[in-house]
Amino acid sequence: MSKRVAVVLAGCGVLDGSEIHEVSATLVHLSRQGASVKIFAPNIDQMHVVDHVKGAPTEDRRNVLVESARLARGDIQDLSELSVQDLDALIFPGGFGVAKNLCTWAVQGKDCLVNEQVKAVLQAFHSEKKPIGLCCISPVLAAKIFPGCEVTVGHDKDERCPDVPDTAKAITELGCKHICKNVSEAHVDEKNKIVTTCAFMCKAPLHEIFDGIGVMVQETLKLA
């Protein structure tokens, strides 16, 4: 029987939503594993809209669910409709939208607030002992909600991962354990059933990021 997996998005575009390559890689690997996928996003406003040519915020207003629908080819549901009983695993791709729309990490760091719907979904899967996969910056969601968990956002000695040392330090200050992993690897916290990989937290070639996400997906499904 195929595993039923929820993928939660945070908009469309690395600077203000979900990272498009990470979403695509996640969906390709889930397809390859024969998983049945449902895509969700919260029906909320984005923190802001960023012009991806200029890299600067604009005056536009956009909705996270509406923007995420672009990546889902329209086949998407409001996060409020997610039922943990109907699913076997949960995956969050990364992108700044995770840190801006699903929580306030981009502004407040470890003192951030997590969107209540996002928090409730994560807690529901965790309490049901169903696995959670997270990549790029999204492991900070687990670090904020599940004290003592183990996650990776990359390797703090890899010069291609300039943001990892500060993020790893913040994760540690939240009472969690940061495990250094290379971009093609994932870390499995077997106790909490949390699987993480760094993806674009590392400035690596796309195929390496694709492979690391593949490991995350495969390990998440093994726990389902």
Side-chain angles (χ1 to χ4, degrees):
M1 184 175 177
S2 65
K3 301 298 184 182
R4 303 164 300 172
V5 182
V7 175
V8 179
L9 304 184
C12 180
V14 58
L15 299 179
D16 57 13
S18 290
E19 210 295 321
I20 293 171
H21 297 290
E22 292 181 17
V23 176
S24 179
T26 298
L27 296 176
V28 169
H29 285 295
L30 285 169
S31 176
R32 183 168 287 155
Q33 295 294 323
S36 172
V37 178
K38 290 187 177 181
I39 303 176
F40 298 86
N43 187 9
I44 57 175
D45 286 339
Q46 293 184 185
M47 181 186 119
H48 61 187
V49 176
V50 177
D51 181 328
H52 280 60
V53 174
K54 298 177 180 178
T58 73
E59 296 300 318
D60 293 348
R61 302 295 299 173
R62 296 189 184 180
N63 176 279
V64 172
L65 177 60
V66 172
E67 291 301 297
S68 298
R70 296 174 181 271
L71 294 172
R73 296 173 60 87
D75 188 6
I76 194 167
Q77 293 174 260
D78 190 322
L79 187 60
S80 65
E81 298 174 11
L82 186 153
S83 171
V84 68
Q85 304 303 328
D86 298 332
L87 296 155
D88 300 308
L90 174 69
I91 293 180
F92 283 78
F96 275 104
V98 173
K100 293 177 177 180
N101 304 327
L102 305 189
C103 71
T104 59
W105 186 278
V107 178
Q108 296 176 292
K110 66 183 177 64
D111 297 319
C112 72
L113 297 174
V114 179
N115 172 275
E116 287 300 320
Q117 285 185 355
V118 172
K119 183 177 181 180
V121 165
L122 283 160
Q123 289 175 329
F125 275 82
H126 189 259
S127 68
E128 292 286 334
K129 295 181 169 43
K130 294 184 176 182
I132 300 166
L134 305 138
C135 62
C136 193
I137 192 62
S138 64
V140 302
L141 296 171
K144 187 66 181 180
I145 298 171
F146 308 121
C149 72
E150 299 177 356
V151 300
T152 189
V153 291
H155 203 298
D156 59 10
K157 303 303 184 193
D158 189 337
E159 62 182 14
R160 300 181 301 173
C161 307
D163 297 323
V164 168
D166 286 346
T167 307
K169 180 174 182 287
I171 287 168
T172 302
E173 290 172 352
L174 286 169
C176 299
K177 186 173 183 179
H178 180 263
I179 310 295
C180 287
K181 289 285 184 177
N182 294 320
V183 66
S184 59
E185 300 175 314
H187 177 69
V188 181
D189 178 347
E190 294 187 2
K191 178 182 176 182
N192 290 291
K193 289 196 170 185
I194 295 171
V195 185
T196 50
T197 191
C198 69
F200 276 103
M201 288 292 287
C202 180
K203 293 176 170 56
L206 183 57
H207 69 277
E208 292 185 29
I209 291 162
F210 183 88
D211 291 346
I213 291 172
V215 176
M216 181 271 290
V217 167
Q218 189 170 17
E219 294 299 324
T220 301
L221 293 179
K222 282 182 184 177
L223 296 173

